Amino acid sequence: MKEKSSEEVRLDKWLWAARFYKTRSLARDMIEGGKVHYNGQRSKPSKLVELEAELTLRQGNDERTVIVTGLSDKRGPAEVAQQLYRETAASIEKREKTALARKMNALTMPHPDRRPDKKERRDLLKFKLSGDE
């Protein structure tokens, strides 16, 4: 039986161990979907992760760029997982800017307290359709 060295960790397993994704299959799906780039290129879930590699991850509206500082194939506590990578300063700044923009957008476009009822929906549809003429 071949013994695996501690230097070899699959990309999907590392993302799971670093707590970027809740399951390995979700990490695999994100990699295959092009949401994870390894050193600027798309890769396969079986790609072996190396130290000092640059990963770009898209999670919802956020995009983060991290540098791999440690290797692990075991999922541990969050404090341990955060030691496996460091986020670049440009990535942190960009995420803060987009978060602020989302917050400002939410303030300028407030949501109503409740959903419109059936009569209000009909009135909205009638109003929208009358504007096409």
Side-chain angles (χ1 to χ4, degrees), residues 31-86:
I31 295 166
E32 289 173 349
K35 305 285 192 235
V36 178
H37 288 186
Y38 184 85
N39 287 335
Q41 296 180 348
R42 286 181 70 164
S43 65
K44 294 181 177 180
S46 61
K47 172 78 175 161
L48 295 178
V49 179
E50 300 167 347
L51 290 174
E52 298 301 315
E54 182 179 291
L55 294 173
T56 306
L57 310 155
R58 293 203 54 214
Q59 294 176 309
N61 293 327
D62 291 335
E63 182 173 319
R64 26 174 105 202
T65 304
V66 297
I67 307 295
V68 178
T69 58
L71 299 177
S72 175
D73 60 353
K74 304 264 190 284
R75 188 174 172 103
E79 295 81 27
V80 175
Q82 289 173 349
Q83 295 172 0
L84 297 177
Y85 64 91
R86 74 173 185 278

Side-chain angles (χ1 to χ4, degrees), residues 108-126:
T108 60
M109 301 176 79
H111 293 284
D113 295 333
R114 61 180 181 78
R115 292 179 58 190
D117 60 18
K118 190 171 186 176
K119 183 179 185 317
E120 291 169 339
R121 284 196 304 270
R122 284 184 184 150
D123 291 343
L124 282 169
L125 279 172
K126 192 187 306 182

